[in-house]
């Protein structure tokens, strides 16, 4: 585990601090190879399948990154990341990074992989593994095609919302929530890249809080989430607030990036895009509310097959407490 964690950190650091395309590619590869054993650790057929899917998509995306940088070097004679000027390589790079992140139309692998991996690995996949591609986006953002990015962003928000409506598996719901959040990050990347990073950091905070809470509950399905309210009532209540924060409701942290992004979009005179993506976040609100309902508000109307859980006296870990506090109280920093 130590080796894999170090490799993850190393790969991420190499990618985010590199100026040369080959270095960035090498960092992405180290990252992919380090997370694979963590996905397939349980040796369940589902986990192995998830690891295979993850490996294939990430390998294809890495190949596309190399291909776009080589095309650019062929036309311009330099390998600098920030100097990606050739239109074809910009297009190929956009699709490669979309594949890395799980943006629509390359999103199919992400829910499957998240469903096959344990909760802690799922947390790594939806936060740490998204960071290097987002930094590449950040560095190349001036030269990318804005129309394409906005289109992909709105489609991501739409599909992330729609496909999450019908899920009962919590990891899949969180995967679709991640896809729609990535839509919000992508729509603003060419206008105000700093907002993308801010959105990403806050999303990481909130997702980490949710994943770690669920990990301490040991829940994977909505039906088992219904019986955890007896275990640690205070933590369940805070999970409710964190989920609403992920949905982006005003007094909570999650509203801050949405607010700033909508403000920036209206400054850029993109009223229709702003209205569309705000409407589509309502779809997300529905399934967050359903998670929140299952976690705290309603008792199950019928007798469930699951045992009611004993209330634990074990104190909540400080990490979860800090993350939950930050993911509910940070709105005033705006």
């Amino acid at each position: 585990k130590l080796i894999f964690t170090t490799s993850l950190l190393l790969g991420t650091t190499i990618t985010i601090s590199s100026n040369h395309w080959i270095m960035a590619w090498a960092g992405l590869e180290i990252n992919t190879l380090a997370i694979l054993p963590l996905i397939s650790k349980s040796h369940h057929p589902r986990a192995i399948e998830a690891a295979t899917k993850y490996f294939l998509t990430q390998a294809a995306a890495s190949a596309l990154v190399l291909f776009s940088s080589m095309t650019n070097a062929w036309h311009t004679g330099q390998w600098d990341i920030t100097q990606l000027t050739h239109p074809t390589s910009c297009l190929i790079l956009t699709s490669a990074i979309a594949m890395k992140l799980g943006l629509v139309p390359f999103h199919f692998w992400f829910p499957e992989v998240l469903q096959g991996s344990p909760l802690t690995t799922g947390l790594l996949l939806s936060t740490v593994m998204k960071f290097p591609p987002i930094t590449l986006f950040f560095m190349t953002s001036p030269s990318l095609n804005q129309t394409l990015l906005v289109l992909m962003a709105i489609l991501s928000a739409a599909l992330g919302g729609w496909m999450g409506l019908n899920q009962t598996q919590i990891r899949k719901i969180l995967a679709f929530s991640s896809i729609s959040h990535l839509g919000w990050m992508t729509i603003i990347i060419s206008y105000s890249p700093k907002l993308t990073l801010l959105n990403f950091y806050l999303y990481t905070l909130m997702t980490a809080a949710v994943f770690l809470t669920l990990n301490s509950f040991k829940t994977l399905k909505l039906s088992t989430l219904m019986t955890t309210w007896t275990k640690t009532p205070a933590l369940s209540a805070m999970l409710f607030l964190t989920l609403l924060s992920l949905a982006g409701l005003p007094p909570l942290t999650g509203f801050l990036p949405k607010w700033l992004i909508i403000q920036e979009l209206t400054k850029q005179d993109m009223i229709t895009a702003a209205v569309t993506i705000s409407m589509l976040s309502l779809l997300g609100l529905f399934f967050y509310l359903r998670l929140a309902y299952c976690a705290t508000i309603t008792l199950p109307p019928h007798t469930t097959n699951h045992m009611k859980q004993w209330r634990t006296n074990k104190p909540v870990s400080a990490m979860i407490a800090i993350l939950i506090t930050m993911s509910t109280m940070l709105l005033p920093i705006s």
Side-chain angles (χ1 to χ4, degrees):
K1 268 190 181 172
L2 182 67
I3 294 179
F4 300 143
T5 322
T6 335
S7 305
L8 270 177
L9 287 172
L10 176 75
T12 309
T13 316
I14 287 179
T15 303
I16 64 183
S17 57
S18 61
N19 285 316
H20 196 289
W21 273 113
I22 299 291
M23 284 297 283
W25 169 79
L28 290 171
E29 283 298 298
I30 293 173
N31 250 357
T32 305
L33 294 175
I35 197 96
L36 282 174
L38 295 179
I39 300 175
S40 55
K41 189 172 58 184
S42 62
H43 296 302
H44 190 274
R46 199 73 183 272
I48 306 294
E49 183 190 348
T52 315
K53 282 176 179 168
Y54 184 75
F55 174 71
L56 290 173
T57 46
Q58 298 299 311
S62 293
L64 281 177
V65 167
L66 264 188
F67 185 50
S68 81
S69 51
M70 278 165 63
T71 315
N72 192 53
W74 176 256
H75 282 281
T76 58
Q78 41 75 26
W79 287 91
D80 196 5
I81 292 186
T82 48
Q83 304 288 325
L84 192 78
T85 46
H86 195 255
T88 316
S89 44
C90 287
L91 209 59
I92 299 172
L93 182 84
T94 308
S95 57
I97 290 188
M99 227 163 168
K100 280 266 174 213
L101 290 173
L103 274 172
V104 174
F106 307 106
H107 63 286
F108 297 103
W109 62 273
F110 189 50
E112 301 291 326
V113 170
L114 216 58
Q115 182 55 35
S117 51
L119 278 169
T120 38
T121 312
L123 169 62
L124 284 178
L125 277 172
S126 46
T127 55
V128 179
M129 301 301 290
K130 304 272 161 117
F131 188 45
I134 288 223
T135 50
L136 286 181
F137 245 173
F138 184 85
M139 288 190 279
T140 56
S141 57
S143 49
L144 298 178
N145 184 351
Q146 295 180 347
T147 325
L148 179 68
L149 285 176
V150 169
L151 191 68
M152 280 164 78
I154 287 176
L155 278 175
S156 293
L159 281 171
W162 267 318
M163 293 168 78
L165 293 181
N166 211 11
Q167 303 293 337
T168 54
Q169 296 284 347
I170 295 180
R171 283 169 296 182
K172 280 199 172 168
I173 293 183
L174 286 169
F176 288 119
S177 103
S178 176
I179 292 172
S180 53
H181 273 276
L182 283 168
W184 278 89
M185 291 174 218
T186 317
I187 198 166
I188 202 68
I189 186 84
S190 44
Y191 304 106
S192 167
K194 282 180 184 161
L195 274 184
T196 300
L197 283 186
L198 173 76
N199 193 347
F200 179 73
Y201 296 145
L202 292 179
Y203 161 73
T204 305
L205 264 182
M206 297 182 284
T207 313
V210 171
F211 266 108
L212 291 174
T213 309
L214 291 172
N215 192 38
S216 71
F217 284 162
K218 304 275 181 286
T219 44
L220 297 172
K221 292 197 292 294
L222 285 180
S223 52
T224 48
L225 187 61
M226 277 186 170
T227 60
T228 54
W229 60 273
T230 49
K231 200 174 180 181
T232 39
L235 191 55
S236 297
M238 291 312 287
L239 175 66
F240 165 67
L241 282 181
T242 315
L243 285 166
L244 291 187
S245 181
L246 260 177
L249 286 187
L252 306 163
T253 307
F255 178 58
L256 162 64
K258 286 190 165 46
W259 176 21
L260 293 176
I261 285 175
I262 290 173
Q263 189 181 354
E264 184 61 37
L265 284 175
T266 40
K267 273 184 202 161
Q268 299 288 349
D269 218 18
M270 298 174 59
I271 311 290
T272 38
V275 169
T276 316
I277 202 161
S278 318
M279 288 299 191
L280 290 170
S281 71
L282 288 176
L283 291 168
L285 177 64
F286 176 79
F287 57 76
Y288 292 122
L289 265 179
R290 198 171 64 172
L291 269 173
Y293 256 74
C294 287
T296 48
I297 304 177
T298 51
L299 296 183
H302 51 83
T303 52
T304 51
N305 300 334
H306 298 283
M307 298 287 290
K308 288 277 185 292
Q309 300 187 16
W310 287 97
R311 179 156 179 182
T312 54
N313 282 330
K314 201 173 54 183
V316 177
S317 78
M319 186 71 183
I320 297 182
I322 294 169
L323 282 170
I324 283 186
T325 313
M326 288 177 77
S327 56
T328 46
M329 310 275 182
L330 272 188
L331 187 67
I333 65 166
S334 57

